Amino acid sequence: MKIAVIGTGYVGLVTAAGLAEFGHAVVGADKAADKIERIARGELPIYEPGLEELLKSNLKRGNLTFSEDLDKTIRASDVIFVCVGTPQGEDGSADMSQIEEVSRQIAENLNGYKVVVEKSTVPVKTSSWIKRTITLYKKSDIHFDIASNPEFLREGSAVPDFLRPDRIIIGVETERARDILVKIYENAKDRLLITNIDTAELIKHASNSFLAMKISYINLMANLCEKTEADIEQVAKGMGLDPRIGNLFLKAGLGFGGSCFPKDLKALIKIGEDLGVDMSLLKETDRINAERSKLFLEKIKKALWILKDKKIAILGLAFKPDTDDIREAPSIKLIANLLNEGAVLRLYDPKAQNNMKELYPEDKTRIQYCRTPYKAANGANALLLCTEWKEFIDLDLKKVKNLMDNPIIVDGRNIFNPAEVRKIGFEYYSIGRN
Ligand code: NAD
């Protein structure tokens, strides 16, 4: 069985390398030729722990190759995993133009039976559009199947998530497609859930929106804690001990970001509304999340009063630790708000600085990128924590205090123990704790 993976971004690259690791012959293809060139040399265009080793070992074994020739890759394949982007469109719905483009290209190169597998996150009913597109543009009477196999990997732990997933969802409408996908995932037979295609498509959006809702819920509780003597960390711990609730995704903070939750939540709201379903529960989830940056700015002002010309260090730019991804990261809005107030920024992130530089280039007067967290803290009037990188949890806080002009920490991720930090001499503000 020859497998093509189209789109070699975060998901496609991990999928290609992961399927090769399972022993399949895989070709990864992308229309970004420069990206393909780098990947084929074993160089990663993104930061993802463990991926470089997985890529290099499978390139060496020879069962993983990369190509910028999409036509040839499609023609040579039996199964095509579509992993292109489905970014947010202007009205909140998913922009499906990359999926449509690939569907047409598959149609034009359909030279034998193939299974086209949606791995990208797509609205329920997308398979009907792909099917219609391929049927409209294909040149011969050749049969094909569509299947859905949504991806649940998390950036930062994408490799183990793909190689040892909690579940593999497979949505199919024919026995033939089902048998092929079951064979591909033979090594994880016990974790397969096979459904129809609409169900598989919806499971992905329903899962991401549920997790987003959990985060907004705990942030709402954090707002309540701040008006009382309750402590959000203890509230979350107490809630999480109930196995019906579980302790994951109960971390109060700056809210959710990244390339998935915000866009998938908005897309599901739009899907529901288009189908006449009341989606107010999810609209509130989105609204509570959007409010987080405003509330954080208020906290910073509570500490510093006037922000104009204050030197502020920001530690953490990535939307979460162990990734260089800054898509929809809370730090982006925070930087915009602080610049708007006239603050002078010193930024540090172990992996995401180059990506942030593209959005906010270095500028001698207002924005400076620093090589260490200590350089960022040097002379600062306040230190903000935006991403819970382990490196920040392990900071030498006494050294940080001696470097800063004013020992003030505003912690958007609750990574420090308030009593300990205050004992060192910091004025400390965090989320949902007094
Ligand atoms: P990405 O932007 O990193 O990668 C998309 C890739 O597709 C890019 O390399 C782009 O050049 C390529 N591409 C676009 N149009 C193409 C075309 N016509 N032909 C060939 N290649 C083309 O996106 P991503 O983060 O990998 O996400 C891909 C999909 O997976 C999205 O639907 C996303 O919602 C979903 N998803 C993402 C994650 C995640 O953590 N990033 C997790 C699960 C699911």
Side-chain angles (χ1 to χ4, degrees), residues 13 54 65 74 82 138 184 223 259 328 356 398 415:
L13 190 49
L54 193 73
T65 54
I74 293 166
V82 179
K138 69 179 179 157
I184 288 174
N223 292 349
S259 69
E328 298 281 327
M356 194 57 90
K398 284 192 184 132
I415 68 172

Side-chain angles (χ1 to χ4, degrees), residues 13-47:
L13 190 49
V14 175
T15 301
L19 290 174
E21 182 72 11
F22 291 162
H24 304 299
V26 183
V27 182
D30 200 293
K31 67 175 185 181
D34 51 332
K35 205 181 232 186
I36 287 295
E37 253 174 55
R38 286 183 64 187
I39 299 171
R41 283 199 303 268
E43 261 177 48
L44 283 194
I46 52 170
Y47 171 73

Side-chain angles (χ1 to χ4, degrees), residues 9-11 30-31 35 86 98 121 151 155 260 263 327:
Y10 283 87
V11 166
D30 200 293
K31 67 175 185 181
K35 205 181 232 186
T86 50
Q98 297 179 26
T121 303
E151 183 49 57
E155 287 175 21
C260 292
K263 90 167 165 68
R327 291 180 283 183

Side-chain angles (χ1 to χ4, degrees), residues 33-104:
D34 51 332
K35 205 181 232 186
I36 287 295
E37 253 174 55
R38 286 183 64 187
I39 299 171
R41 283 199 303 268
E43 261 177 48
L44 283 194
I46 52 170
Y47 171 73
E48 183 59 47
L51 185 55
E52 193 170 342
E53 295 78 352
L54 193 73
L55 173 71
K56 281 186 172 154
S57 67
N58 282 287
L59 283 171
K60 203 169 161 198
R61 268 203 294 169
N63 57 334
L64 176 62
T65 54
F66 289 89
S67 170
E68 59 189 85
D69 188 341
L70 275 116
D71 295 334
K72 192 173 150 205
T73 306
I74 293 166
R75 285 199 298 272
S77 63
D78 306 306
V79 184
I80 304 165
F81 282 81
V82 179
C83 301
V84 296
T86 50
Q88 192 181 310
E90 271 172 24
D91 60 356
S93 63
D95 173 350
M96 301 300 286
S97 52
Q98 297 179 26
I99 298 274
E100 201 249 6
E101 193 184 335
V102 172
S103 305
R104 285 171 61 164

